[in-house]
Amino acid sequence: MALIAPSLLASNFLKLQEECEMLNNSSADWYHLDVMDGRFVPNISFGLPIVEQIRTITKKPLDVHLMIVEPEKYIIDFKNAGADHITIHYEACIHLHRNIEQIKSLGLKAGVALNPHTPIILLEDIITYVDIVLLMSVNPGFGGQKFIPNTVDKIRSLKKLIHQTGSQALIEIDGGVTVENAGALLHTGADVLVAGNTVFKSANPTETILKLKTSD
Ligand code: DX5
Ligand code: ZN
C-alpha cells in the first residue's frame, strides 16, 4: 500500500499542534517537512526549531526535504532536531556520494531529490546507495503548484533503473499530487506520495489522507 507523507508547508502554522494531532490520528505514514533557504529555491520556509518542536509531538517518521545549498553543513543539526529521513538535492551537491554516506552513517535514511529538469540517468552511479529518490513534480519552492506531466515517464525510467540495479530505493513524488492523479502515480511505480494543499486545504484532511492511501 502507498505511503502518504503530508507536507506541513500547507498547514496552518498558528494551529500547528492541532495539525500534528490530526496527522497522528490519521493514516499518514510520514511527516514531510520542507526546509527552504531562499538560495537553492526562491522561498524561505522554516528550519531547525520547527523540526525540533514537531519531533516532540509525534512518533511518525520525520521526512525532511532540504531545499538548501551546501546541505552537508546542516545534516548533523537536522539529525539532532529529530529527522528520520534526510533528502538532499542532486543539484545542490558537488559530493553527493559523500553526503549520502554522511546521512546514512548517522543512522538515518538518505534520500536524493531531482528537480523536474534533471534526468533519471544521472542517478545510475548513486541509486544503490540511497534509500529514497524524491522526484519533484513541480519546481521546488512553493506548495500548491500544478503537477508536471512528464514526471510519469520519469517514474517509469526510475522504476526500471531500480529493478536493473537491485536498488531498494523508494520512489517519492512531491508536488501537485491530488486525489485525481494519485492512482496513476501509484500504478506507474510510486511508493510514497507527498501532498500539501490536497490534504491541508481539504474539508476533511483525515479522509483525504485515507483516499490518497487507498487510491491504487
Ligand atoms: C515544494 C515542496 C513540496 C510542497 C508540496 O517545493 O517540496 O513538498 O510542499 O505541496 P503541494 O502538495 O501543495 O504541491
Ligand atoms: Zn517537499
Side-chain angles (χ1 to χ4, degrees):
M1 197 179 274
L3 297 174
I4 305 302
S7 163
L8 272 291
L9 188 64
S11 71
N12 181 345
F13 292 151
L14 286 178
K15 296 186 176 166
L16 195 52
Q17 184 168 353
E18 279 169 48
E19 302 279 44
C20 291
E21 280 160 4
M22 179 279 290
L23 290 185
N24 287 345
N25 296 321
S26 77
S27 48
D29 297 278
W30 301 348
Y31 278 53
H32 185 80
L33 302 179
D34 289 303
V35 176
M36 303 178 185
D37 65 354
R39 293 189 62 209
F40 181 71
V41 288
N43 195 10
I44 298 175
S45 58
F46 52 78
L48 292 158
I50 297 286
V51 177
E52 232 170 73
Q53 292 288 316
I54 292 176
R55 179 72 288 167
T56 65
I57 201 175
T58 189
K59 292 200 166 59
K60 295 195 184 194
L62 301 186
D63 183 49
V64 175
H65 178 191
L66 294 183
M67 284 161 276
I68 67 176
V69 298
E70 300 180 312
E72 65 279 6
K73 288 189 180 168
Y74 299 97
I75 286 167
I76 185 71
D77 296 325
F78 280 100
K79 184 216 152 61
N80 292 338
D84 296 284
H85 315 156
I86 295 184
T87 294
I88 53 182
H89 267 262
Y90 179 92
E91 303 83 4
C93 296
I94 297 171
H95 299 287
L96 181 61
H97 179 271
R98 175 185 287 153
N99 303 340
I100 290 292
E101 293 295 293
Q102 186 190 351
I103 296 170
K104 292 201 297 184
S105 72
L106 297 170
L108 308 178
K109 297 231 179 292
V112 61
L114 297 190
N115 277 340
H117 72 277
T118 305
I120 299 297
I121 191 71
L122 294 175
L123 294 178
E124 207 175 86
D125 293 302
I126 196 74
I127 191 71
T128 55
Y129 296 92
V130 297
D131 300 299
I132 299 165
V133 177
L134 184 155
L135 297 183
M136 284 305 314
S137 37
V138 298
N139 283 295
F142 304 91
Q145 303 180 79
K146 214 168 148 286
F147 182 86
I148 300 174
N150 98 316
T151 311
V152 177
D153 293 330
K154 290 179 81 174
I155 298 175
R156 238 173 251 126
S157 319
L158 176 56
K159 195 80 192 163
K160 203 167 149 200
L161 180 64
I162 287 174
H163 187 71
Q164 282 167 353
T165 56
S167 155
Q168 299 290 309
L170 295 176
I171 303 178
E172 181 171 9
I173 306 304
D174 188 7
V177 172
T178 63
V179 171
E180 288 69 37
N181 63 20
L185 299 173
L186 296 171
H187 282 139
T188 313
D191 303 294
V192 189
L193 301 179
V194 174
N197 280 261
T198 291
V199 167
F200 288 99
K201 303 290 190 262
S202 74
N204 187 337
T206 308
E207 208 171 87
T208 304
I209 292 168
L210 191 61
K211 264 192 206 156
L212 290 168
K213 196 162 173 68
T214 52
S215 49
D216 53 342

